[in-house]
């Protein structure tokens, strides 16, 4: 499995509201709400931690789900968020995201 | 407001989050606009480290939308340090400025910091009229140059057009100018009293005929009766407005108020944490208990659905729970129906 790194886009503004994360893109003001699992992944998106590690440590341990299923859902999620322009996804560690 | 934004706003209200904060970093200004509502005040502005602490407290309280303003915000030499810290705390930042000090390097920094929008004040499409309002010859040209630089760098710009008697009919032209510049347009048709209650500047308000025109232009004010926010079944609809519920204002000296246009002092961030003021200020708790049903005159006014009654203006006029005559006049201009306070 090739490593995947994720970083919050530097133009994303965001805040946690209870179990959700609200993200708003400063470039086009579009607004997103991330549910509990997506919010966990979002908060771990520092550009340095591989997605597989995020899933193993933060999703599998907390929710009743196997790694393969959780990882495949996480891959789908991060691609969606990348498509919306609020997350950067790369095969290499990322600098310059909001994890700086 | 989009449905999603509305839902998020309701959630912020339920959780007691100061979702929108307007922070003035200075009241100093390089212009001398004739209608300015700020009062001269001596005293030390919050220093960089104090502002940083406040930003951290706001982020911890859940604030997402941060408007940095003044005075002229570009006069703060540490403005970009402040913005950098604010971006690290993931705020959505908008900046209000007169634009006259925004040179290419500053614009480059604003773009680099992903500032979501810059609101630039404009008073006319005619340089001589604009410059007469700002009392600064050449200010129109400098502001225009800044707007062009911002849009060329991809920074979103909103032209905030304060309409006043000197240029009463100019909103169509200013709206056109904004479109040509690639900026959005926001009309502010009401000159409000100074924060110390001095109402002398109200003479600068446009004549009633112009108000009538503006308040009947659906492109400027939206549809008249249907879908009024006041008629929507929501917790927000029960409240006079968002001030002090999901929004607040912090002055350059650290004083906290429900809104920039609502000078009910709640506390000072030099003396208490922002969170303590937001959660415990007695003045704020009293204000938060007010519902539309408590507004003595307005609750029975047949125009309440079209009226944008501002409690801050009512407070400055002397009665927090009473009508605001300025809003009565606007509602009258909009509908042709005379609300009770104007009949007296
Ligand atoms: S209605 Fe008045 S007090 Fe309320 S948010 Fe608007 S300007 Fe502020
Ligand atoms: S028109 Fe005047 S009395 Fe009627 S709701 Fe507005 S402020 Fe109150």
């Amino acid at each position: 499995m090739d490593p995947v790194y994720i970083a919050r886009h530097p133009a994303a503004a965001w805040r946690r509201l209870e179990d959700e994360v609200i993200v708003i893109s400063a470039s086009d003001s579009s607004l997103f709400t991330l549910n509990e699992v997506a919010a966990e992944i979002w908060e771990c998106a520092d550009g340095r931690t591989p997605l597989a590690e995020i899933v193993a440590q933060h999703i599998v341990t907390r929710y009743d789900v196997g790694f393969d299923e959780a990882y495949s859902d996480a891959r789908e999620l991060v691609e969606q968020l990348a498509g919306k322009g609020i997350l950067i996804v790369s095969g290499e560690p990322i600098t310059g995201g909001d994890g700086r | 407001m989009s449905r999603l934004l509305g839902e998020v706003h309701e959630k912020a209200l339920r959780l007691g989050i100061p979702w929108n904060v307007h922070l003035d970093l200075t009241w100093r200004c390089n212009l001398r606009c004739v209608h300015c509502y700020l009062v001269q005040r001596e005293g030390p502005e919050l220093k960089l480290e104090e502002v940083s602490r406040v930003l951290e407290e706001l982020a911890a309280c859940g604030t997402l939308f941060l408007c940095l303003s003044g005075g002229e915000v570009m006069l703060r030499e540490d403005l970009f340090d402040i913005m950098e810290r604010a971006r690290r705390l993931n705020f959505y930042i908008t900046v209000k400025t007169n634009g006259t000090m925004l040179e290419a390097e500053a614009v480059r920094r604003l773009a680099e910091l992903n500032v979501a929008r810059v609101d630039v004040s404009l008073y006319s499409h005619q340089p001589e009229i604009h410059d007469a309002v700002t009392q600064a010859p050449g200010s129109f040209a400098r502001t225009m140059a800044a707007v062009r630089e911002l849009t060329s760098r991809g920074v979103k710009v909103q032209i905030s057009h304060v309409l006043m008697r000197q240029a009463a009919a100019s909103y169509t032209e200013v709206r056109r100018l904004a479109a040509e510049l690639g900026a959005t347009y926001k009309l502010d048709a009401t000159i409000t009293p100074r924060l110390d209650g001095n109402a002398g500047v109200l003479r600068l308000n446009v004549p009633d005929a112009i108000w009538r025109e503006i308040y009947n232009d659906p492109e400027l004010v939206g549809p008249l009766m249907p879908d009024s926010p006041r008629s929507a079944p929501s917790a927000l609809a029960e409240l006079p407005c968002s001030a002090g519920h999901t929004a607040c204002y912090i002055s350059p000296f650290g004083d906290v108020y429900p809104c920039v246009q609502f000078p009910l002092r709640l506390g000072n961030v030099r003396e208490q944490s922002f969170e303590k003021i937001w959660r415990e200020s007695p003045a704020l708790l009293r204000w938060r208990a007010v519902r539309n049903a408590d507004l003595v005159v307005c609750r029975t006014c047949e125009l309440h659905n079209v009226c944008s009654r501002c409690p801050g203006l009512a407070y400055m006029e002397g009665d927090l729970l009473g009508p605001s005559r300025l809003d009565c006049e606007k509602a009258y201009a909009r509908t042709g129906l005379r609300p009770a306070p104007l009949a007296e």
Side-chain angles (χ1 to χ4, degrees), chain B residues 230 295-310 314 321-332 337-342:
Chain B
R230 301 274 164 96
L295 305 177
V296 277
V297 176
C298 302
R299 72 178 169 214
T300 54
C301 174
E302 57 183 332
L303 302 184
H304 79 277
N305 260 345
V306 292
C307 175
S308 54
R309 174 188 180 276
C310 170
L321 301 181
S324 136
R325 285 189 73 90
L326 258 178
D327 288 311
C328 294
E329 282 166 24
K330 284 198 284 182
Y332 178 42
L337 304 170
R338 194 184 289 277
L342 298 188

Side-chain angles (χ1 to χ4, degrees), chain B residues 243-290:
Chain B
H245 293 277
T246 55
C248 82
Y249 166 70
I250 305 174
S251 84
F253 318 102
D255 292 317
V256 180
Y257 302 90
C259 169
V260 66
Q261 199 166 281
F262 191 167
L264 171 71
R265 190 174 175 277
L266 309 174
N268 187 292
V269 293
R270 280 186 167 129
E271 292 153 18
Q272 288 169 302
S273 73
F274 173 81
E275 182 175 4
K276 195 167 170 63
I277 297 169
W278 183 254
R279 305 240 174 269
E280 297 175 21
S281 153
L284 184 52
L285 296 182
R286 275 196 301 278
W287 160 242
R288 276 203 197 122
V290 173

Side-chain angles (χ1 to χ4, degrees), chain A residues 8-20 22-29 31-33 98 100, chain B residues 2 4-5 8 11-12 14-15 17 19 58-59 62-65 87-92 114-116 156:
Chain A
R8 295 173 294 266
H9 194 283
W14 60 280
R15 202 62 80 213
R16 183 174 266 280
L17 279 194
E18 284 186 317
D19 54 352
E20 291 179 333
I22 312 298
V23 186
I24 180 161
S25 159
S27 41
D28 66 1
S29 305
L31 185 79
F32 308 89
T33 55
D98 93 337
R100 291 163 257 247
Chain B
S2 76
L4 185 55
L5 194 56
V8 173
K11 184 165 183 177
R14 181 165 52 76
L15 299 174
I17 288 175
W19 195 230
L58 293 174
T63 303
L64 179 57
F65 295 95
R87 282 300 295 138
R88 276 184 189 277
L89 292 163
N90 304 310
F91 289 103
Y92 179 91
N114 288 293
V115 164
K156 281 205 282 305

Side-chain angles (χ1 to χ4, degrees), chain B residues 9 13 16 36 63 70 75 79 88 114-115 135 157 188 204 228 239 264 274 294 300 306 312-313 337:
Chain B
H9 195 185
L13 176 68
C36 186
T63 303
L75 285 168
L79 176 66
R88 276 184 189 277
N114 288 293
V115 164
Q135 304 192 76
V157 178
D188 183 352
L204 299 172
S228 153
L239 304 174
L264 171 71
F274 173 81
D294 302 319
T300 54
V306 292
L313 290 178
L337 304 170

